[in-house]
Amino acid sequence: MTFAALNALAASDDVNQALSTIGTAKTYAWGLVGTPAKVTDTELAARMLFQKATPGDLSQAIGTASNEGKMYLLCIIKRTDDKLFTKLTANNKFDQERISSFHGDVLKTTDAQRIVDQIKKSNCDPLGWPA
């Protein structure tokens, strides 16, 4: 196996691991959360996917992801493929869903459609923040 093939395989494993982390997310949050304040593993996985995953990888993962994971995936897709984001969020598909989201160190239950609307308006601004 060539060095390039080994690198591609390692990158594929990284993407699969990050998709697994996102797919089982129990909360949706960006920035420092909790006590003590820290960046979540799911945010770190989302940032890595933003750099390495294809929109196809992300859209396939939405089907099996937790509701919180879907929000991370939609956020990344909004930045990488706006047409796919529009297709995936058409007709308020998330208006009956609820998610757990951190706001600093406060855990709240939020309407998923509200988060989708924020992603749409902000173009997933948190992905532009420094890690």
Side-chain angles (χ1 to χ4, degrees), residues 64-82:
T64 58
S66 66
N67 287 339
E68 292 79 6
K70 288 175 184 173
M71 297 301 108
Y72 280 107
L73 294 167
L74 287 171
C75 200
I76 301 163
I77 290 168
K78 177 64 178 162
R79 291 290 288 256
T80 58
D81 189 336
D82 193 53

Side-chain angles (χ1 to χ4, degrees), residues 4-19:
L6 286 172
N7 279 342
L9 185 59
S12 174
D13 286 345
D14 288 348
V15 167
N16 288 335
Q17 179 59 47
L19 287 171

Side-chain angles (χ1 to χ4, degrees), residues 116-129:
V116 170
D117 292 342
Q118 288 175 352
I119 292 168
K120 192 180 301 183
K121 288 177 191 170
S122 73
N123 195 37
C124 192
D125 189 47
L127 278 175
W129 298 346

Side-chain angles (χ1 to χ4, degrees), residues 5-60:
L6 286 172
N7 279 342
L9 185 59
S12 174
D13 286 345
D14 288 348
V15 167
N16 288 335
Q17 179 59 47
L19 287 171
S20 177
T21 298
I22 293 287
T24 59
K26 297 193 183 323
T27 60
Y28 178 77
W30 292 98
L32 300 175
V33 298
T35 306
K38 69 175 200 141
V39 174
T40 64
D41 291 342
T42 47
E43 178 178 342
L44 295 174
R47 289 179 177 282
M48 194 278 290
L49 289 172
F50 178 58
Q51 298 296 320
K52 295 185 178 182
T54 67
D57 293 333
L58 302 170
S59 65
Q60 277 186 309

